[in-house]
Amino acid sequence: MRSAMLFCWLFLPVLAGAQDFQQWNEVDFTASWRNADFLVPVLARTDTHLPNPQLAATGITVDMPLRWHLTLTGGYLFADLPQLPDDVHLPLIAVSTTFHARRFTLADRNRFEKLIGYGDSPVRYRNRIFLDWPSGARGRWHLFTDDEVFFNLTAGSWNQNRFQAGGGARLNRRLFFDVYYLQRAPSGGAAKTTVLGTTLTVRIPSRKERG
């Protein structure tokens, strides 16, 4: 936790002076039932130079493990864009392949989504490569990085790239806190966006765990 606070203290003034700097803050509620893992994200995005909030969103996704190290994900997200006349409904489906090598975890996720209500309601394909390295007793700490490429299938063109790196710590049995740096590079020569993000994960215990 102290390393995350030090990261924010050292880099926040630098990032805040960037031409396009945003903060992405998220709280994730997670729970499991039988073989399914549920996630309810609540997130907000703000910008240091533009009216806020830029985005507020929530929804639900469900992960189902399959054979051969595969995971199937389905879900629905709703995003409010207060600075635009758009409310976006986003159904999604994804398939991920996960590999473990010693303490490292490598995941390759392929996701399809439709942005209903945004522009011409495009269909996007997203490919993300994610690497995680846990450390400490029972993985109390971890470092991670990922790179994600977005393709607009409706327009038939590359849309954007997001590179992310960060770390986090388990606060207790039910809480995990991450802080990360992200750079978003859109297509068409638009300015890059620099992001400092935080994610607080709240694990809801099962009925059996509650006794």
Side-chain angles (χ1 to χ4, degrees), residues 28-41 59-65 73-75 201-204:
D28 289 344
F29 298 92
T30 66
S32 298
W33 182 70
R34 295 188 178 180
N35 291 330
D37 294 323
F38 296 83
L39 168 66
V40 176
I60 185 170
T61 64
V62 183
D63 289 344
M64 295 289 295
T73 302
T201 301
V202 181
R203 188 179 70 86
I204 301 173

Side-chain angles (χ1 to χ4, degrees), residues 142-155:
H142 79 133
L143 298 174
F144 61 90
T145 184
D146 68 67
D147 189 76
E148 187 168 23
V149 180
F150 292 62
F151 293 92
N152 184 331
L153 298 181
T154 303

Side-chain angles (χ1 to χ4, degrees), residues 20 118 124 148 150 157-163 182-194:
D20 192 358
Y118 183 77
R124 291 196 309 196
E148 187 168 23
F150 292 62
S157 62
W158 169 72
N159 181 261
Q160 61 176 287
N161 176 264
R162 294 180 186 176
F163 169 79
L182 181 146
Q183 187 175 81
R184 179 174 60 184
S187 61
K192 295 181 179 180
T193 301
T194 301

Side-chain angles (χ1 to χ4, degrees), residues 4-199:
M5 295 176 63
L6 179 62
F7 177 89
C8 295
W9 183 78
L10 288 175
F11 289 97
L12 184 57
V14 177
L15 297 176
Q19 182 178 4
D20 192 358
F21 167 67
Q22 294 187 356
Q23 290 179 274
W24 294 5
N25 299 309
E26 181 171 344
V27 179
D28 289 344
F29 298 92
T30 66
S32 298
W33 182 70
R34 295 188 178 180
N35 291 330
D37 294 323
F38 296 83
L39 168 66
V40 176
V42 180
L43 60 105
R45 297 178 183 175
T46 59
D47 193 291
T48 55
H49 302 296
L50 297 173
N52 288 307
Q54 289 289 298
L55 177 145
T58 188
I60 185 170
T61 64
V62 183
D63 289 344
M64 295 289 295
L66 305 175
R67 296 182 178 180
W68 306 300
H69 309 287
L70 297 175
T71 301
L72 176 66
T73 302
Y76 163 82
L77 302 175
F78 170 78
D80 180 23
L81 306 174
Q83 312 308 320
L84 297 174
D86 295 316
D87 289 333
V88 182
H89 302 268
L90 195 152
L92 66 93
I93 188 169
V95 176
S96 304
T97 307
T98 304
F99 303 97
H100 300 279
R102 294 188 178 182
R103 297 184 68 106
F104 291 92
T105 299
L106 179 68
D108 179 8
R109 186 183 70 184
N110 297 276
R111 169 169 158 173
F112 295 87
E113 59 190 25
K114 185 173 178 64
L115 283 67
I116 301 171
Y118 183 77
D120 59 351
S121 298
V123 175
R124 291 196 309 196
Y125 164 68
R126 301 165 56 168
N127 176 251
R128 187 188 74 170
I129 303 295
F130 174 82
L131 179 65
D132 184 84
W133 179 64
S135 182
R138 299 181 181 179
R140 181 180 177 184
W141 304 84
H142 79 133
L143 298 174
F144 61 90
T145 184
D146 68 67
D147 189 76
E148 187 168 23
V149 180
F150 292 62
F151 293 92
N152 184 331
L153 298 181
T154 303
S157 62
W158 169 72
N159 181 261
Q160 61 176 287
N161 176 264
R162 294 180 186 176
F163 169 79
Q164 179 180 199
R170 185 181 301 279
L171 305 182
N172 56 42
R173 292 177 58 188
R174 300 181 183 179
L175 299 178
F176 208 105
F177 180 76
D178 286 334
V179 60
Y180 60 88
Y181 162 86
L182 181 146
Q183 187 175 81
R184 179 174 60 184
S187 61
K192 295 181 179 180
T193 301
T194 301
V195 175
L196 179 65
T198 62
T199 303

